[in-house]
């Protein structure tokens, strides 16, 4: 007897992750490979997190604490919030699927920007819900058009801020004006995976908006500035009733114990965070200057990645960079076939990337 798949599975476009370093080494026969594809932290995790992991390892025979008690306590203190306004997930990714599982019925709608993070659409597709994509204006969320797209089927609105892949932000004022226009039964998910990197003072103070009672869910992660992407841990902040709904659809042991102790130690090491940000700022300045020198259009970024127009086939640029040991992302996955997205790396890696990119563009333009 054959199994019948749910029809909505036909519509699902699987997430295309950045190529792993080991795979590229294997496939290309290279030793020295740099990954600038998944906006990871080139400095690595805090030494305190590594120490906490080592200390915890002999106890991994026990199931993790399903409530993430100590991590939530540390987050609550760090953010001056109550613990019951916090949920911890297996990466922010898991929280995106939990929010869909909690709120979306088949045929209902989410609204998101285009281009933006594709996991929102994936999570909606899992629940057989529809995604309404609203084109960005000048590479920024078009909040007016997003508000105008609201109808009786709208359940969730996804705001990626800073936006992946553009690195652009919407401001506090813009976000608050937008929230004021919306019916309160729509949950606005504000994905702040990169918020620590932002330097623009007009960036939203989203915790303040939460305290004002707006129906928002703020998503954050330990994958980026805290350098724990491999452990899969992120968190969400919302009203108590929203957190309770998300907990209802969460698996009992969704966050492993190693991730919990590492995240807690990483959170307490804000000195390491400052070192990560300083390195990112250096890279941001260097790469901006280099793109300008090369005459390439790029978006000034508030995050740890750039979206750059190469004016030639991005897939070809990707292949040529790969054959020289540099992994980036093509803009094609976001609907921009002449753009690439690259993560800011170490000073040495950034310089190597620019040197190789320049060679490749020269080769491609001369053929
Ligand atoms: C905007 C955005 N949100 C969420 C995530 C996923 O974060 P996590 O690693 O915590 O699942 C990413 C990862 O790249 C991202 O870019």
């Amino acid at each position: 007897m054959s199994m019948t798949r749910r029809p909505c599975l036909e519509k699902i476009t699987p997430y295309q992750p950045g190529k792993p370093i080991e795979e590229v080494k294997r496939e290309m026969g290279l030793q020295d490979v740099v990954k600038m594809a998944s906006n990871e932290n080139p400095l690595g995790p805090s030494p305190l997190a590594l120490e906490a992991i080592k200390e915890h390892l002999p106890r991994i025979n026990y199931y993790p604490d399903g409530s993430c008690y100590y991590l939530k306590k540390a987050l609550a203190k760090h953010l001056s919030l109550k613990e019951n306004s916090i949920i911890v997930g297996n990466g922010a990714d898991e929280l995106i699927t939990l929010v869909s599982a909690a709120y979306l019925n088949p045929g209902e709608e989410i609204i998101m920007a285009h281009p933006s993070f594709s996991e929102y659409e994936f999570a909606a597709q899992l629940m057989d819900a529809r995604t309404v994509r609203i084109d960005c204006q000048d590479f920024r969320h078009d909040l007016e058009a997003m508000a105008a797209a609201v109808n009786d089927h709208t359940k969730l609105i996804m705001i990626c801020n800073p936006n992946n892949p553009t690195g652009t932000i919407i401001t506090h004022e813009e976000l608050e004006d937008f929230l004021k226009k919306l019916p309160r039964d729509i949950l606005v998910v504000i994905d702040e995976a990169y918020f620590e990197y932002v330097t623009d003072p007009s960036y939203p103070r989203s915790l303040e908006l939460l305290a004002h009672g707006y129906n928002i869910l703020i998503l954050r992660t330990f994958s980026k500035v805290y350098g724990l992407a491999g452990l899969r841990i992120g968190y969400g902040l919302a009203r108590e009733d929203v957190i309770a709904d998300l907990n209802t659809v969460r698996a009992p042991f969704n966050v492993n114990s190693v991730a919990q102790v590492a995240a807690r130690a990483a959170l307490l090491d804000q000195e390491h965070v400052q070192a990560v940000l300083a390195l990112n700022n250096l890279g941001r300045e260097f790469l901006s200057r280099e793109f300008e020198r090369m005459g390439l259009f790029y978006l000034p970024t508030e995050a740890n990645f750039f979206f750059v127009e190469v004016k030639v086939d991005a897939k070809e640029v990707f292949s040529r960079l790969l054959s020289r040991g540099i992994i980036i992302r093509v803009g094609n996955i976001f609907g921009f076939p002449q753009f690439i997205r690259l993560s800011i790396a170490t000073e040495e890696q950034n310089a190597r990337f620019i040197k190789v990119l320049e060679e490749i563009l020269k080769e491609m333009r001369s053929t």
Side-chain angles (χ1 to χ4, degrees):
M1 202 170 79
S2 67
M3 301 272 294
T4 316
R5 301 203 307 169
R6 291 169 63 216
C8 64
L9 265 62
E10 305 301 331
K11 294 181 219 150
I12 293 181
T13 344
Y15 181 70
Q16 292 177 30
K19 264 184 173 297
I21 291 179
E22 292 310 318
E23 184 181 313
V24 175
K25 283 185 178 173
R26 234 176 19 244
E27 286 178 359
M28 298 281 163
L30 295 170
Q31 291 301 315
D32 185 14
V33 174
V34 182
K35 188 170 175 211
M36 298 170 78
S38 304
N39 308 336
E40 289 141 333
N41 177 340
L43 210 55
S46 148
L48 298 188
L50 294 177
E51 203 49 49
I53 292 170
K54 231 192 282 172
E55 204 176 291
H56 179 74
L57 282 181
R59 294 198 296 283
I60 58 169
N61 52 321
Y62 293 107
Y63 284 100
D65 170 5
S67 75
C68 296
Y69 178 84
Y70 289 108
L71 177 59
K72 278 205 299 207
K73 216 173 161 56
L75 279 167
K77 185 162 177 229
H78 186 69
L79 302 166
S80 305
L81 270 181
K82 286 202 188 123
E83 279 122 72
N84 53 11
S85 306
I86 305 173
I87 182 169
V88 185
N90 194 256
D93 274 349
E94 188 202 19
L95 299 171
I96 295 167
T97 49
L98 291 187
V99 80
S100 286
Y103 295 114
L104 295 178
N105 290 304
E108 290 183 331
E109 294 181 358
I110 72 159
I111 298 174
M112 65 177 282
H114 175 75
S116 191
F117 189 48
S118 64
E119 285 295 278
Y120 313 141
E121 182 160 15
F122 167 77
Q125 286 170 332
L126 277 182
M127 305 314 297
D128 205 5
R130 278 178 16 88
T131 301
V132 178
R133 289 158 155 226
I134 303 294
D135 282 340
C136 284
Q137 274 260 325
D138 294 330
F139 297 96
R140 293 173 76 240
H141 281 65
D142 184 348
L143 293 179
E144 215 166 289
M146 289 177 88
V150 169
N151 62 39
D152 292 345
H153 305 291
T154 311
K155 288 296 272 298
L156 302 173
I157 301 181
M158 317 301 291
I159 306 274
C160 189
N161 199 36
N163 189 34
N164 177 0
T166 56
T168 51
I169 62 157
I170 57 163
T171 68
H172 186 89
E173 223 186 328
E174 288 167 337
L175 181 58
E176 187 159 26
D177 286 349
F178 175 70
L179 293 172
K180 277 182 189 157
K181 286 185 206 153
L182 299 175
R184 286 297 169 101
D185 58 352
I186 294 176
L187 178 66
V188 180
V189 178
I190 304 170
D191 185 342
E192 296 190 340
Y194 302 97
F195 88 98
E196 294 95 340
Y197 296 98
V198 174
T199 54
D200 186 332
S202 67
Y203 185 69
R205 301 175 299 283
S206 53
L207 292 179
E208 207 176 287
L209 297 171
L210 182 60
H212 284 170
Y214 289 110
N215 192 14
I216 59 176
L217 167 67
I218 302 161
L219 298 182
R220 293 179 174 177
T221 181
F222 286 96
S223 297
K224 307 299 174 185
V225 91
Y226 291 103
L228 297 175
L231 289 181
R232 314 303 303 122
I233 183 160
Y235 59 98
L237 311 168
R239 276 190 339 227
E240 265 175 56
D241 57 311
V242 173
I243 297 296
D245 290 340
L246 298 181
N247 272 320
T248 306
V249 293
R250 170 177 78 75
F253 303 115
N254 61 327
V255 182
N256 73 76
S257 56
V258 180
Q260 291 185 37
V261 295
R264 184 160 164 256
L267 187 68
L268 298 176
D269 190 356
Q270 289 299 316
E271 223 175 278
H272 185 71
V273 169
Q274 289 311 314
V276 173
L277 296 180
L279 182 69
N280 193 68
N281 287 340
L282 273 180
R284 177 154 50 187
E285 282 161 27
F286 169 76
L287 289 167
S288 307
R289 270 198 314 273
E290 290 298 303
F291 294 141
E292 263 157 48
R293 180 183 62 75
M294 291 163 73
L296 297 178
F297 171 77
Y298 70 98
L299 294 162
T301 183
E302 288 292 333
N304 65 343
F305 54 84
F306 276 98
F307 202 45
V308 187
E309 188 178 25
V310 283
K311 287 214 177 85
V312 287
D313 178 16
K315 282 188 176 167
E316 185 59 28
V317 174
F318 168 83
S319 304
R320 291 184 190 217
L321 281 166
L322 201 65
S323 69
R324 289 151 162 102
I326 299 174
I327 320 171
I328 51 113
R329 296 298 283 274
V330 288
N332 306 57
I333 48 176
F334 303 104
F336 288 80
Q338 296 205 332
F339 277 68
I340 58 171
R341 194 199 67 193
L342 60 121
S343 315
I344 300 172
T346 63
E347 284 183 86
E348 192 193 343
Q349 291 166 341
N350 294 334
R352 172 171 161 192
F353 163 77
I354 288 292
K355 183 170 172 289
V356 177
L357 178 68
E358 215 167 4
E359 285 165 13
I360 287 172
L361 293 181
K362 215 163 153 190
E363 284 164 21
M364 286 180 72
R365 284 175 189 144
S366 65
T367 52

